[in-house]
């Protein structure tokens, strides 16, 4: 039979570039004569910007440390064992770079088994074990602590989660089995399923304690010292930990049902991870840990060898790595400082931008508009949002006062923008209007000032074409809601110079946005793809397919919302305007739906009413629709929509709209909320064979977002 050490040695050979975590054992005398204590510290030797992870060699190091303390415990040389992390980091789970390299099911199974074999030894020592969650803990970092007898948590802990389902995995080193048996199935479903599928929501230290995951909470400043004093009291019998009785009856069953409803609402059955996790939670009801661990290992191996996880890791790498080094961005040393910002317009979008610039750049921001009432309304909106931040405790009174003082309004563009370094327009989406605005602004701003446009589909080059200095005009396209969606499409016009572009990227970074460089092509990236996607849905409806069939057709993608609900969010009038713009540019591929025109002309806000709480086709909209006689099945609709999108992405890459397919996916994830389990879109199109059927080749090389050949 293969030993744990042999298993891990074999796995380590598959992953030669692992950043190895050491498990240092030191001994100390506990206060109040509670005896000699062994403390294991997990540390990869790097600072907190490189969090500690568990690859095979790291697990082997922890295994060796447990060998040592196991012998000391058996000999009576120690009274307890603790495990903690380096400053600010406990541990953040399995090393995903290693997971990417796995090619065989048995190697994936070994990863699951190796983690279990090491971690569960902490629950079988001859003395009590303690996990001290001193800093960020995720995935396997959370799970190693669950195997201990007791846990403490730092009140300063910023991030604690089991994010596996978000990536396309399950918590497979004890999480699905141990957590519901510790805090009950309903709370475990919240942590494992709900938080994961809610954009990987993190818990803070206080929440970890309140959920019952930790038995005690201490302030960050002297966290370890207080944890050891508490440990001594536990070992001396002065503190007894009473944990609540777990309801293993109807409450457990209801929790699993709730978890399935959450998964259905988020991924519509399109990604297996959440459902596999729920199966394990369901099976853990009787407390049979060995059976639970076996189910975790099998689920881990199956999912590691599946496309969704590879897409999830690919998406994670895009957001964590590629987003921080935008392809094609000029040298950042060319960027000019921005000490004052002007915003042309004071409507909702302009006001959201003013708030964002003021909060992130902490510089004066001035709004202008055509009359005082609009200016006052815009400034009032920003001040009101600042008051909300103050009420929620997100900022203090001093910060609120400074932000309010920074955001002002003026009707006089010369007075407002005469010393501005960066002016962004957010006015009506019409070329003539925008050209006039830029001509007025150029006449009053300093020579070095950047002129940015928040256009969603118009040509930046044409907008700049009548200016004396077109080289300083740049597209700066935000996505709504501005405070939530991270994407910023930065558009280089034909004459935009490197210094202006570098300044735009510098500002984007300070705004904490994911900036992607895009060519000045109609509708840029996200709106072009979404318009082609929505256009095909509208085409099949116009031709005769029932609305509900067309909507259900794309459910297997697991998108955040259906196409017509998205249209409602965007606004049918804006959707129509973008489709008309793209029809003008590419009449052979982009249509203008006569039914959508009727909906807009009738002043309808969308296709649905919500009288029952669920979306139902508005009878007034149904009466407007004029359909042909061609009725397609869900499968036929889905094939047509995916073929259209694959064709469009292929053409965009041929045109050089972005550097690579990776940028398309980064845009869809951060600008349209497309799921991680799709990897954006191109890995899904590759996996389903659509890319090759339409374009004759894959978008990504095998192994980039799929199992290596």
């Amino acid at each position: 039979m293969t030993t744990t050490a042999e298993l891990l040695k074999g796995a380590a050979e598959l992953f030669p570039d692992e950043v190895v975590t050491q498990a240092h054992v030191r001994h100390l005398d506990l206060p109040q004569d509670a005896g000699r204590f062994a403390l294991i510290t997990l540390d990869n030797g790097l600072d907190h910007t490189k969090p500690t992870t568990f690859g095979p060699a790291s697990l082997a190091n922890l295994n060796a440390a447990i060998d040592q303390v196991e012998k000391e415990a058996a000999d009576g040389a120690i009274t307890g064992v603790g495990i903690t992390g380096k400053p600010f980091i406990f541990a953040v789970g399995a090393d995903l770079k290693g997971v990417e390299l796995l090619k065989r099911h048995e190697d994936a199974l070994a990863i699951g088994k190796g983690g279990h074999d090491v971690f569960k030894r902490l629950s079988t020592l001859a003395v009590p074990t303690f996990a001290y969650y001193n800093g960020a803990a995720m995935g396997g970092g959370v799970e190693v602590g669950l195997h201990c007898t007791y846990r403490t948590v730092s009140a300063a802990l910023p991030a604690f989660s089991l994010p596996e389902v978000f990536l396309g995995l399950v918590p497979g080193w004890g999480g699905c089995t141990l957590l519901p048996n510790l805090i009950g199935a309903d709370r475990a479903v919240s942590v494992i399923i709900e938080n994961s599928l809610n954009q990987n929501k993190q818990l803070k230290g206080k929440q970890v304690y309140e959920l019952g995951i930790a038995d005690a909470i201490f302030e960050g400043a002297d966290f370890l010292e207080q944890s050891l004093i508490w440990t001594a009291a536990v070992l001396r019998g002065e503190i007894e930990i009473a944990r609540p009785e777990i309801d293993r009856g109807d409450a457990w069953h209801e929790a699993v049902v709730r978890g399935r409803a959450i998964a259905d609402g988020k991924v519509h059955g399109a990604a297996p991870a959440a459902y596999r996790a729920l199966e394990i939670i369901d099976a853990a009801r009787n407390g049979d840990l060995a059976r639970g661990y076996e189910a975790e290992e099998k689920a881990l191996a199956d999912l590691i060898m599946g496309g969704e996880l590879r897409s999830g890791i690919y998406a994670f790498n895009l957001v964590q790595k590629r987003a921080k080094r935008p392809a094609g961005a000029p040298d950042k040393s060319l960027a000019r400082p921005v000490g004052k910002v002007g915003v042309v317009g004071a409507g909702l979008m302009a006001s959201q931008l003013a708030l964002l610039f003021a909060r992130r750049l902490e510089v004066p921001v001035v709004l202008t508009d055509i009359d005082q009432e609009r200016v006052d309304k815009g400034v009032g909106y920003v001040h009101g949002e600042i008051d909300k931040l103050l009420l929620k405790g997100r900022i203090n009174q001093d910060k609120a006062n400074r932000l309010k003082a920074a955001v002002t309004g003026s009707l006089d563009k010369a007075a407002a923008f005469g010393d501005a370094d960066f002016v962004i327009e957010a006015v009506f989406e019409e070329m003539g209007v925008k050209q006039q605005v830029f001509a007025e602004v150029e006449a009053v701003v300093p020579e070095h000032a950047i002129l940015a446009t928040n256009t969603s589909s118009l040509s930046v080059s044409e907008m700049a074409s009548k200016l004396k200095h077109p080289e300083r005009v740049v597209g700066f396209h935000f996505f709504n809601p501005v405070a939530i969606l991270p994407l910023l499409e930065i558009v280089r016009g034909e004459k935009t110079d490197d210094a202006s572009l570098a300044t735009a990227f510098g500002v984007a970074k300070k705004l904490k946005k994911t900036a992607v460089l895009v060519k000045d092509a109609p509708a840029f990236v996200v709106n072009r793809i979404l318009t082609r996607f929505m256009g095909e849905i509208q085409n099949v409806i116009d031709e005769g397919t029932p609305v509900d069939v067309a909507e259900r057709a794309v459910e297997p993608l697991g998108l955040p919302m259906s196409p017509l609900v998205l249209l409602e969010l965007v606004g049918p009038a804006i959707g129509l305007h973008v489709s008309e713009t793209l029809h003008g540019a590419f009449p052979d591929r982009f249509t203008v739906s006569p039914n959508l025109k009727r909906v807009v002309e009738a002043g309808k806000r969308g296709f649905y009413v919500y009288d029952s709480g669920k979306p139902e086709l508005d009878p007034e909209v149904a009466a407007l629709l004029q359909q042909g006689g061609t009725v397609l099945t869900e499968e036929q609709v889905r094939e047509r929509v995916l073929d259209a999108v694959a064709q469009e992405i292929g053409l965009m890459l041929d045109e050089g709209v972005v550097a690579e397919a990776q940028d398309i996916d980064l845009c869809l994830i951060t600008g349209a909320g497309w799921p991680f389990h799709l990897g954006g879109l191109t890995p899904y199109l590759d996996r389903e064979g659509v890319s090759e059927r339409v374009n004759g080749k894959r978008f990504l090389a095998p192994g980039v977002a799929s199992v290596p050949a």
Side-chain angles (χ1 to χ4, degrees):
M1 186 176 159
T2 311
T3 66
T4 302
E6 289 168 340
L7 192 72
L8 293 171
K9 186 170 181 289
E13 286 167 4
L14 297 173
F15 185 20
D17 299 326
E18 177 185 350
V19 177
V20 179
T21 297
Q22 303 299 326
H24 304 290
V25 181
R26 63 187 171 111
H27 296 86
L28 41 98
D29 293 316
L30 288 171
Q32 301 151 349
D33 296 323
R36 191 114 172 106
F37 190 76
L39 181 66
I40 300 170
T41 303
L42 302 169
D43 191 347
N44 61 5
L46 302 166
D47 69 13
H48 67 279
T49 62
K50 298 283 191 298
T52 305
T53 52
F54 293 117
S58 305
L59 286 173
N61 287 338
L62 179 56
N63 199 45
I66 296 173
D67 283 342
Q68 179 186 335
V69 298
E70 183 179 58
K71 185 174 186 310
E72 291 169 354
D75 293 346
I78 53 174
T79 57
V81 173
I83 185 165
T84 193
K86 66 182 184 181
F88 309 110
I89 304 287
F90 182 78
V92 298
D95 192 321
L96 293 175
K97 292 195 296 296
V99 173
E100 282 179 275
L101 301 171
L102 297 174
K103 299 179 184 180
R104 300 184 313 160
H105 193 275
E106 53 264 44
D107 294 330
L109 201 60
I111 289 291
K113 191 164 178 352
H116 276 133
D117 286 354
V118 175
F119 288 1
K120 70 187 180 189
R121 296 181 67 196
L122 290 165
S123 62
T124 59
L125 298 182
V127 294
T129 50
F130 299 79
Y132 306 131
Y133 291 124
N134 64 303
M138 296 170 203
V142 169
E143 289 171 301
V144 69
L146 295 178
H147 286 268
C148 293
T149 325
Y150 305 100
R151 285 155 296 281
T152 67
V153 67
S154 167
L157 182 145
F160 182 104
S161 64
L162 289 169
E164 287 83 352
V165 166
F166 177 66
L167 292 171
L169 273 177
V170 299
W173 285 343
C176 288
T177 303
L178 293 172
L179 193 62
N181 279 293
L182 176 68
I183 62 172
D186 194 62
R187 288 178 163 189
V189 163
S190 293
V191 176
I192 294 169
I193 307 297
E194 190 169 20
N195 289 358
S196 265
L197 292 179
N198 187 15
Q199 293 302 311
N200 192 19
K201 182 183 171 188
Q202 300 293 317
L203 298 169
K204 302 273 193 275
K206 186 167 178 270
Q207 295 166 298
V208 173
Y209 173 64
E210 287 169 351
L211 281 168
I213 298 171
D215 302 305
I217 183 167
F218 301 109
E219 289 304 320
D222 56 353
F223 169 70
L224 188 56
E225 184 186 344
Q226 292 301 321
S227 291
L228 291 169
I229 292 169
W230 180 86
T231 296
V234 170
L235 291 174
R236 285 162 58 87
E238 292 161 13
I239 292 177
E240 281 192 33
I241 301 303
R243 297 204 176 109
E245 189 75 25
I246 301 297
D247 186 332
R248 300 180 185 279
D250 290 346
W252 196 292
H253 173 70
E254 285 161 14
V256 173
V257 169
R258 182 174 79 89
R260 288 209 177 96
I262 292 165
D264 287 344
K266 291 286 187 181
V267 300
H268 310 286
Y275 302 97
R276 292 295 292 267
L278 286 162
E279 284 170 18
I280 302 165
I281 292 169
D282 196 23
R285 184 195 300 221
N286 61 5
D288 183 343
L289 300 186
R291 186 170 160 231
Y293 296 162
E294 194 178 325
E296 287 177 354
E297 286 162 17
K298 184 169 187 329
L300 264 187
D302 291 348
L303 292 166
I304 284 171
M305 299 315 291
E308 284 82 4
L309 171 69
R310 304 302 172 131
S311 295
I313 294 174
Y314 164 79
F316 183 80
N317 288 336
L318 289 181
V319 170
Q320 293 297 317
K321 294 175 185 170
R322 192 176 185 91
K324 292 177 174 61
R325 291 187 289 278
D331 190 320
K332 59 187 175 192
S333 67
L334 298 172
R336 302 189 191 105
V338 172
K340 183 178 179 183
V341 172
V343 181
V344 186
L348 181 60
M349 189 66 175
S351 303
Q352 288 183 66
L353 295 181
L355 177 65
L356 181 71
F357 277 95
R359 282 193 73 193
R360 298 282 187 237
L361 268 59
E362 298 187 351
V363 299
V365 178
V366 189
L367 294 120
T368 66
D369 213 314
I370 54 173
D371 60 52
Q372 193 64 45
E373 188 184 341
R374 291 179 202 219
V375 170
D376 291 345
K377 189 178 176 187
V379 174
Y381 169 86
V382 178
H383 287 191
E385 291 299 304
I386 292 167
D387 285 335
K388 286 181 194 170
L389 292 168
L390 177 63
L391 274 173
K392 290 176 184 167
R394 304 268 294 278
I395 55 174
N396 60 26
Q397 186 67 59
D398 178 54
K399 183 76 178 278
N401 293 343
R402 280 188 286 120
L403 286 174
K404 281 186 180 178
V407 179
T408 57
S410 173
L411 284 176
D412 183 344
K413 287 192 178 71
F417 303 151
D419 56 350
D421 305 302
F422 190 99
V423 178
I424 183 164
E425 69 74 27
V427 299
F428 186 66
E429 193 75 351
E430 206 275 305
M431 183 58 77
V433 175
K434 290 185 186 284
Q435 285 180 331
Q436 183 189 338
V437 161
F438 269 166
E440 291 170 6
V441 172
E442 186 180 48
V444 298
V445 295
E447 279 199 10
H448 68 269
I450 305 299
L451 304 184
T453 169
N454 183 45
T455 183
S456 59
S457 60
L458 300 177
S459 166
V460 174
S461 304
E462 190 182 339
M463 216 176 288
S465 62
K466 297 181 179 177
L467 298 177
K468 291 191 186 77
H469 295 287
E471 70 277 359
R472 59 173 167 177
V473 177
V474 64
F476 216 61
H477 179 219
F478 290 86
F479 288 78
N480 221 344
V482 170
I484 295 169
L485 289 174
L487 180 63
L488 186 50
E489 290 178 336
I490 295 186
V491 188
R492 180 170 208 153
E494 282 171 18
K495 300 202 170 158
T496 308
D497 63 22
D498 282 354
S500 301
L501 204 59
T503 306
F505 274 99
V507 169
K509 189 171 184 182
K510 285 185 178 169
L511 293 175
K512 298 185 178 173
K513 292 294 180 186
T514 297
V516 176
L517 179 63
V518 304
K519 186 180 169 186
D520 187 17
F524 317 126
V525 177
V526 173
N527 284 342
R528 180 162 164 185
I529 293 169
L530 288 185
T531 304
R532 186 79 198 271
F533 178 83
M534 303 280 286
E536 272 321 303
I537 295 282
Q538 284 161 349
N539 286 345
V540 299
I541 292 171
D542 292 351
E543 289 163 18
T545 299
V547 169
D548 60 328
V549 174
E551 287 270 82
R552 277 201 310 272
V554 292
E555 274 188 3
L557 292 171
L559 299 176
M561 62 191 76
S562 76
L564 293 183
V565 172
L566 174 63
L567 181 67
E568 200 169 296
L569 184 74
V570 170
I574 292 172
L576 179 64
H577 173 75
V578 177
S579 67
E580 286 170 342
T581 302
L582 281 160
H583 176 68
F586 309 115
D588 56 326
R589 302 194 309 279
F590 287 85
T591 53
V592 178
S593 164
N595 279 321
L596 179 58
K597 248 185 176 166
R598 290 185 195 99
V599 168
V600 172
E601 284 163 3
K604 302 301 291 183
R605 299 285 301 273
F607 277 63
Y608 292 127
V609 288
Y610 296 85
D611 299 339
S612 65
K614 290 190 295 195
E616 291 174 6
L617 188 62
D618 183 339
E620 292 178 19
V621 170
L624 293 170
L625 297 182
Q626 294 179 18
Q627 295 179 279
T630 306
V631 180
L632 302 183
T633 65
E634 287 177 31
E635 289 74 21
Q636 288 170 322
V637 172
R638 186 161 57 250
E639 183 173 309
R640 207 167 123 178
V641 169
L642 292 176
D643 283 5
V645 173
Q647 181 195 31
E648 202 59 39
I649 293 172
L651 291 165
M652 288 165 73
L653 292 171
D654 290 345
E655 290 168 27
V657 174
V658 289
E660 291 181 291
Q662 282 87 334
D663 294 310
I664 299 268
D665 294 320
L666 183 57
C667 285
L668 286 170
I669 292 163
T670 56
W674 281 43
F676 262 49
H677 70 259
L678 292 185
L681 183 55
T682 68
Y684 179 83
L685 295 171
D686 284 351
R687 195 162 70 236
E688 296 294 312
V690 181
S691 316
E692 291 191 59
R693 182 171 74 233
V694 174
N695 300 322
K697 60 182 179 181
R698 296 167 59 98
F699 288 117
L700 301 166
V704 173
S706 53
V707 178

